Amino acid sequence: MDKILKVIFIGGAAYGFKTYFAKQKEWQVIKINRPSNDKILEEIIYKHQNQDVYIIAQAYNGKYIDDTVNDFLDYAAGKKEQSYLFGDKKVIAGGKADLVVYIGHDSLMEWSWRKYLPDSWRWETLSKEQQAKQKSRYAAVFACKSQQYFSPPLSRLGITPLILTMHRMAPEAYSVYAMIDSWLKVESKEVTRQKVASAYSQYQKLNKPALHIFTTEYKQ
């Protein structure tokens, strides 16, 4: 069965998503879209060379960060399905993605999550079938203190956390790559956390894995 990853990010950095993944041989760019509106600057679609895994990566214009967070939470809620056709292959992303990832500034530090999430999307309002689907999906947020600020909305949606952060950090692609690689190997969440922390420490030139920055659980 295909695995679909939906990655949305704001702008670019020294180790931006597009730049970093261009160097990873197992990921092949199969299509680049440049939407006519200026909210999304570029959409890049990757396929894994050895697995039926697709990444739909969207670079949002920084001035539309409000829309970026809103779209991410919609996808995490299982909303806004998006279909892509590659030859005779149909890929459904958006709210159907197995893993949704946000990379960038934590704007929930300035705005309440309640601005984006209506009460009708609470976990307890979902059917048992919807709850099972949500628990099988994963969300990750690479942004400063994302555990504190994204736990309330994401936990209400019932989606399983994969990687969140507990401190200020640089949301760059090498950590995201380490997470995706570990997740595709079906490694435990703790192993994934260790690999993400090790990648972060390597590029940030820290003496030991930055385990204090990353977590795999929501804030209680």
Side-chain angles (χ1 to χ4, degrees):
M1 182 179 293
D2 297 338
K3 280 187 174 293
I4 312 299
L5 292 77
K6 180 75 174 186
V7 178
I8 63 176
F9 56 97
I10 299 292
Y15 291 97
F17 194 93
K18 181 179 180 180
T19 301
Y20 189 84
F21 271 72
K23 301 174 183 177
Q24 312 310 315
K25 295 181 179 180
E26 71 269 37
W27 290 104
Q28 176 186 3
V29 175
I30 59 175
K31 192 170 185 180
I32 297 178
N33 298 319
R34 292 181 174 84
S36 56
N37 65 69
D38 63 347
K39 182 175 81 169
I40 297 175
L41 301 174
E42 190 172 57
E43 178 182 70
I44 309 170
I45 301 168
Y46 302 83
K47 184 186 182 301
H48 197 281
Q49 295 277 40
N50 304 314
Q51 302 181 57
D52 287 328
V53 180
Y54 295 82
I55 297 176
I56 314 296
Q58 294 178 324
Y60 279 67
N61 188 325
K63 69 180 181 180
Y64 293 104
I65 190 169
D66 195 36
D67 295 279
T68 312
V69 173
N70 188 64
D71 285 349
F72 170 71
L73 291 177
D74 280 351
Y75 300 144
K79 311 290 184 179
K80 292 185 179 178
E81 294 180 14
Q82 299 171 330
S83 296
Y84 299 83
L85 193 62
F86 310 115
D88 60 353
K89 180 70 173 182
K90 186 176 182 180
V91 173
I92 304 178
K96 283 287 189 179
D98 300 283
L99 169 60
V100 290
V101 185
Y102 176 93
I103 311 167
H105 173 62
D106 187 346
S107 65
L108 295 189
M109 290 180 172
E110 292 101 39
W111 305 320
S112 170
W113 59 269
R114 295 180 185 278
K115 174 181 179 179
Y116 307 99
L117 192 62
D119 283 342
S120 60
W121 289 2
R122 289 176 301 181
W123 166 254
E124 57 266 27
T125 68
L126 301 178
S127 68
K128 289 185 177 180
E129 182 181 4
Q130 289 174 316
Q131 288 180 349
K133 287 181 180 178
Q134 280 295 85
K135 289 178 70 175
S136 71
R137 302 174 67 229
Y138 292 86
V141 183
F142 290 82
C144 293
K145 299 182 179 181
S146 65
Q147 186 200 42
Q148 177 179 348
Y149 292 95
F150 278 83
S151 285
L154 291 177
S155 62
R156 285 165 71 92
L157 298 175
I159 194 167
T160 299
L162 186 57
I163 288 291
L164 300 171
T165 66
M166 296 182 287
H167 298 279
R168 293 189 179 277
M169 52 86 71
E172 295 179 340
Y174 42 81
S175 298
V176 182
Y177 173 83
M179 176 192 70
I180 292 173
D181 183 68
S182 181
W183 181 69
L184 290 178
K185 292 175 180 175
V186 198
E187 295 176 330
S188 70
K189 289 171 67 173
E190 182 54 32
V191 169
T192 300
R193 172 176 172 253
Q194 291 174 4
K195 289 189 172 181
V196 169
S198 295
Y200 189 85
S201 295
Q202 176 185 345
Y203 281 89
Q204 293 293 322
K205 296 180 170 57
L206 305 179
N207 293 328
K208 58 183 180 180
L211 291 170
H212 65 290
I213 293 179
F214 301 99
T215 180
T216 62
E217 303 300 333
Y218 291 131
K219 185 175 182 179
Q220 300 302 315

